[in-house]
Amino acid sequence: MTAVDIREASPNGPETHVLSTDQLVTWRWRALTQQLPTAGFPAGSQAPTLVYLWTTILVVAVTVLGFAVFDRDDVPTAVLDSQQDLMVKVSRSLTLSLIAADDAFDQTAEVLRSGAPAAPATLARLTGDEASWAGVAVIQPSTRKVVAASAEAVPLNLIAGGSLPEGNSAVMTTNGPAVIRAVAIGDDRMLVGLQPLLLRSLRLNPDGKHGVYVLTSAGDTYLAQGVDAVPAGLRKELFEGIPHINSSRSEVVRVKEWSGEALVVSGAPVGDTGFVVASVIVAQVTPGTSLFHGLVLALVVALTALLAYALMRASLVKPLQHLLHQAKLDACGAITKDRRALRVREGSQVAQALAVSSGNRLRANKWRPTVLQGLLLAALVALLGPAFGVAVAVTQPGTTVPVQLNRDEESRVEAISSTLGNALSSGLQTVEHLSRAQATTAGDPAVAALKEALADNHRLRGVYLVAADGKPESSAGRPSLRAAQPLPGQGGVVLDPAVNRLPVVYAYQVRDDGRAFVAEFDIDYLLGLMRSADGRAVVADPDLRTILDSQGYRAFQPLRDPTVREAAVAALSGDTISRSKDVDGRPALVAGAAVTNPDVAHLEWVVVLDRNADTLQLPSMLERRWALLTAAAVTAILVVTLIWMYFIFVRPLRRLANASARIVQGDFDEPVTPQRHDDVGAIAMCLEICRQVRHTGSARFGGATRLRGSAANFTAVLPRPRIPNQRER
């Protein structure tokens, strides 16, 4: 053991401490460790690889959990969701119809309050062909005596109790569910009306014994459409809890005697009327997702992640840790007999520089991979897991779309077609009403009538009084987009053929004097009607040009999707159709229906509803979705990790390797400037100490007083200050 003589000044005179070389190195090591930067997150060399490994393991665990949750024999979730959505739309349609009827009813009640005679002629406006009230009457509530009536008698006996409650009361008549509305119009006078609850015709699945019911809170049930899937005596048990729901729901009811089948019961409340519309079908029970497939996918991803983690450590983490340890030894003046050559190029160059600056030599092979090449190899290995996930998704067996989904999609496309037709028909009724009014000339009276008509019909963007040549004389709303040309015929709903940049749909009615009222429809409102259903809804004309498209479009462009084109052609005949496969045989959910409203049927428009089958909650689709999500998540984690390591470690290490190359070639004049306060920066600081010792000499080694710095403030050995003695003082 070598002894080193260190003399220090002392107030009592010179004092000598004799330290061994090992003790001196230990002291320097401690001092150096205190001065070197401590790399924290995210600069620690081990941080990226550990974050990559644990986040990938978390994704693997979530994947297994996702496969396990749906690993059961049950009715596909897509069927439950479809039935629930269908009932929600039916209940919403009924609610809107009731609200519109109630508004008309309340207007008549206000007329009666203002002094109009309580005569059948006054009440007839509520029971005409275009009204929804089956019967209306003015009664004395104290005795329930009828003062005046129109159409059917109102069955007040169905309302229990002595006094009639104001508002709506849900009743079950011999003809089905109905609402009785009562509004006070004076002393001992009430206006009462009977409105049947009429459901639009739905496309039912006879193979599934599909039935649609209307339930009351009192427990009454009425089969509105379809057939009974269970005996009538079991309805109470079947619909237990459904009549009192406040929001829509769908559930599976298992029958012990059935094998491979189950009942699906769905319901939705009809506003605050007390009615609930419910659907019952017999659905097939199918196997769920395969937990075994999920475990295999998770195992492959985990193994490739572990192998990639090992390659990342071998390419970056271990070389950095070895270099930092060796650099600290060299900076402390320790003697290393056997130096290990590193397997990456940058690490080998820095190790050679440390050896040269310490007076040693380190042989290295001619070629070594760079750190980046090692990380790219790890990335390729890591991508094997996501590649396997994509392969699992692509090789999934063909999905069979349940027939029930086709029938439900047909009901949805018919609902859109009917709603669109009714909206266009309402515009025609608006201009017909205006044409029958007395305000026929231009000026303030006409403008007032136009504004009133526009306020009553929110489907319109503007209402206009036009001259015989088609030019507007008075208007209400936004400026007209229609070409100022003479109108074709006496009245109807047309698509302006002279405007090519957007669809201009308008209703018109020509008067005897040659003037006409024109109402242009709000295209945004029509698109809103189409967006009520999931998926893409398209309206096409007989030439298969796009008139409306819920997902954005250029007007009058030809339909390009071959499956949508085929469905549109099939629906032009007037039949409602659906497809469960596209023209290439892949799973699809497409339905089409013609717009058959008598007022607009001449347009020959068809509505096509195209829903992406990949979004359906079917077992095979769920497996495919989980596999793709796992692949995407693992790939994203890998990309973030590589970017992290490249900018935080690879680039600074590459710059340090370039500086090391100069030292290996014998150039000790240029300082080594640390760029970061992390492991790479600590190695650079230690290399700079070794360079200074080699460049200046070991006698001045103890003068290295600053180890931290940057490119503009590098470490330098300052001259030892001269302390004057007592005589010089």
Side-chain angles (χ1 to χ4, degrees):
M1 181 179 294
T2 306
V4 181
D5 185 9
I6 299 179
R7 297 180 181 275
E8 295 181 356
S10 172
N12 300 325
E15 182 178 350
T16 301
H17 295 279
V18 179
L19 300 178
S20 67
T21 302
D22 291 342
Q23 291 174 328
L24 183 60
V25 169
T26 302
W27 175 80
R28 288 175 176 174
W29 181 283
R30 186 182 302 114
L32 183 64
T33 302
Q34 293 175 353
Q35 296 183 64
L36 288 177
T38 302
F41 187 87
S45 57
Q46 299 190 65
T49 54
L50 289 175
V51 169
Y52 164 75
L53 180 62
W54 287 112
T55 51
T56 303
I57 294 300
L58 177 62
V59 170
V60 167
V62 172
T63 300
V64 174
L65 180 62
F67 275 81
V69 167
F70 298 99
D71 183 25
R72 65 182 185 275
D73 294 346
D74 205 348
V75 176
T77 307
V79 176
L80 276 74
D81 293 343
S82 179
Q83 284 294 293
Q84 183 175 349
D85 177 73
L86 185 63
M87 290 300 99
V88 167
K89 287 181 170 52
V90 170
S91 67
R92 188 177 300 163
S93 176
L94 290 173
T95 302
L96 293 177
S97 298
L98 290 173
I99 291 175
D102 289 349
D103 290 342
F105 189 90
D106 293 342
Q107 290 176 6
T108 301
E110 188 63 31
V111 170
L112 293 173
R113 289 194 196 98
S114 62
T122 307
L123 306 179
R125 69 180 66 182
L126 293 176
T127 57
D129 294 336
E130 299 179 358
S132 58
W133 293 92
V136 181
V138 176
I139 65 168
Q140 294 178 344
S142 59
T143 62
R144 297 195 178 185
K145 180 181 179 180
V146 177
V147 178
S150 176
E152 298 180 13
V154 180
L156 299 178
N157 60 303
L158 297 178
I159 301 179
S163 60
L164 291 176
E166 286 202 53
N168 290 338
S169 299
V171 297
M172 190 68 72
T173 68
T174 56
N175 296 324
V179 171
I180 295 179
R181 185 170 181 82
V183 176
I185 57 175
D187 295 337
D188 201 23
R189 288 288 189 274
M190 293 190 79
L191 178 65
V192 296
L194 175 68
Q195 182 184 9
L197 205 65
L198 302 177
L199 277 69
R200 63 178 176 85
S201 180
L202 301 175
R203 305 283 291 189
L204 304 181
N205 179 18
D207 295 334
K209 299 179 181 179
H210 196 174
V212 179
Y213 301 80
V214 178
L215 316 178
T216 65
S217 57
D220 298 326
T221 62
Y222 176 76
L223 178 63
Q225 295 181 30
V227 297
D228 267 321
V230 297
L234 298 178
R235 287 185 187 175
K236 184 176 181 181
E237 182 179 355
L238 177 65
F239 294 120
E240 184 178 0
I242 299 292
H244 304 286
I245 60 176
N246 297 320
S247 59
S248 63
R249 80 181 194 188
S250 187
E251 59 186 20
V252 177
V253 178
R254 293 297 186 108
V255 181
K256 295 181 180 179
E257 293 78 7
W258 293 0
S259 176
E261 293 181 335
L263 291 172
V264 175
V265 182
S266 308
V270 183
D272 56 358
T273 62
F275 285 117
V276 172
V277 289
S279 166
V280 178
I281 63 170
V282 178
Q284 297 294 320
V285 174
T286 61
T289 57
S290 173
L291 179 59
F292 175 75
H293 291 169
L295 290 173
V296 172
L297 174 61
L299 181 61
V300 172
V301 173
L303 289 177
T304 54
L306 287 171
L307 184 56
Y309 169 76
L311 290 173
M312 290 177 187
R313 285 187 57 84
S315 301
L316 179 65
V317 179
K318 288 185 177 180
L320 280 180
Q321 292 177 342
H322 175 79
L323 284 176
L324 181 58
H325 181 75
Q326 184 63 55
K328 291 170 70 174
L329 287 176
D330 291 341
C332 294
I335 299 175
T336 304
K337 295 181 179 180
D338 297 323
R339 293 179 179 266
R340 190 180 69 180
L342 301 181
R343 297 179 180 178
V344 293
R345 184 183 305 171
E346 293 89 346
S348 178
Q349 290 174 338
V350 176
Q352 290 183 60
L354 289 171
V356 170
S357 60
S358 301
N360 299 313
R361 278 290 174 181
L362 178 64
R363 290 188 177 185
N365 296 331
K366 294 183 178 180
W367 182 88
R368 279 184 172 82
T370 63
V371 174
L372 184 59
Q373 290 171 343
L375 294 179
L376 291 178
L377 177 60
L380 291 176
V381 173
L383 288 175
L384 293 177
F388 182 78
V390 174
V392 169
V394 173
T395 57
Q396 281 294 319
T399 300
T400 301
V401 178
V403 176
Q404 186 62 50
L405 298 185
N406 288 89
R407 300 290 85 80
D408 294 345
E409 205 70 4
E410 291 174 3
S411 295
R412 292 187 185 93
V413 76
E414 283 188 349
I416 295 176
S417 171
S418 176
T419 305
L420 181 61
N422 293 339
L424 298 177
S425 179
S426 70
L428 181 60
Q429 294 173 10
T430 297
V431 294
E432 288 176 347
H433 175 74
L434 284 172
S435 66
R436 292 192 296 267
Q438 296 181 355
T440 61
T441 59
D444 293 339
V447 172
L450 296 178
K451 289 183 178 179
E452 182 179 357
L454 181 62
D456 292 339
N457 195 333
H458 59 280
R459 307 168 183 86
L460 306 176
R461 64 179 306 274
V463 185
Y464 317 93
L465 174 64
V466 301
D469 60 358
K471 295 182 179 179
E473 295 182 350
S474 301
S475 64
R478 286 174 280 181
S480 176
L481 299 175
R482 183 186 64 86
Q485 297 177 355
L487 297 168
Q490 286 297 116
V493 178
V494 297
L495 173 67
D496 195 337
V499 182
N500 296 323
R501 58 190 176 88
L502 77 166
V504 178
V505 186
Y506 62 91
Y508 71 98
Q509 182 65 44
V510 180
R511 292 183 56 86
D512 295 337
D513 60 358
R515 292 188 176 91
F517 286 99
V518 176
E520 291 185 9
F521 294 95
D522 187 352
I523 298 300
D524 290 335
Y525 173 81
L526 300 181
L527 288 173
L529 297 179
M530 299 171 61
R531 293 190 179 106
S532 61
D534 293 335
R536 176 192 179 195
V538 181
V539 174
D541 64 5
D543 297 327
L544 301 183
R545 300 182 305 167
T546 303
I547 305 300
L548 301 170
D549 192 330
S550 62
Q551 292 186 352
Y553 67 107
R554 290 179 58 192
F556 309 114
Q557 296 298 306
L559 294 176
R560 302 190 183 279
D561 190 307
T563 305
V564 174
R565 286 178 62 89
E566 190 272 337
V569 171
L572 280 172
S573 62
D575 296 330
T576 300
I577 59 93
S578 63
R579 301 286 186 268
S580 59
K581 293 184 180 296
D582 61 15
V583 295
D584 297 324
R586 294 187 297 263
L589 191 56
V590 182
V595 180
T596 57
N597 188 291
D599 292 333
V600 295
H602 62 278
L603 294 175
E604 298 184 82
W605 284 359
V606 293
V607 180
V608 179
L609 190 57
D610 181 18
R611 188 174 178 185
N612 186 1
D614 291 339
T615 63
L616 299 176
Q617 294 288 82
L618 298 174
S620 58
M621 294 299 180
L622 289 173
E623 284 196 17
R624 180 179 181 183
R625 204 171 303 148
W626 273 109
L628 292 177
L629 285 174
T630 301
V634 172
T635 303
I637 294 170
L638 176 64
V639 170
V640 171
T641 303
L642 291 176
I643 294 175
W644 183 359
M645 289 192 293
Y646 178 76
F647 285 100
I648 301 299
F649 298 103
V650 176
R651 291 181 61 183
L653 184 59
R654 186 181 296 170
R655 289 193 291 266
L656 181 59
N658 294 334
S660 300
R662 295 192 299 268
I663 294 177
V664 173
Q665 295 172 1
D667 182 4
F668 297 96
D669 296 331
E670 187 172 349
V672 179
T673 56
Q675 302 292 325
R676 300 181 55 84
H677 287 189
D678 55 10
D679 291 347
V680 179
I683 296 171
M685 294 175 187
C686 293
L687 181 59
E688 170 62 11
I689 294 175
C690 297
R691 183 201 67 83
Q692 291 182 24
V693 172
R694 182 65 183 270
H695 182 262
T696 310
S698 60
R700 298 179 57 189
F701 181 72
T705 60
R706 181 169 61 232
L707 295 176
R708 297 177 183 267
S710 62
N713 184 20
F714 54 84
T715 302
V717 177
L718 301 178
R720 187 186 301 275
R722 180 173 177 273
I723 301 176
N725 54 28
Q726 295 293 336
R727 295 179 180 178
E728 291 177 345
R729 291 178 183 177

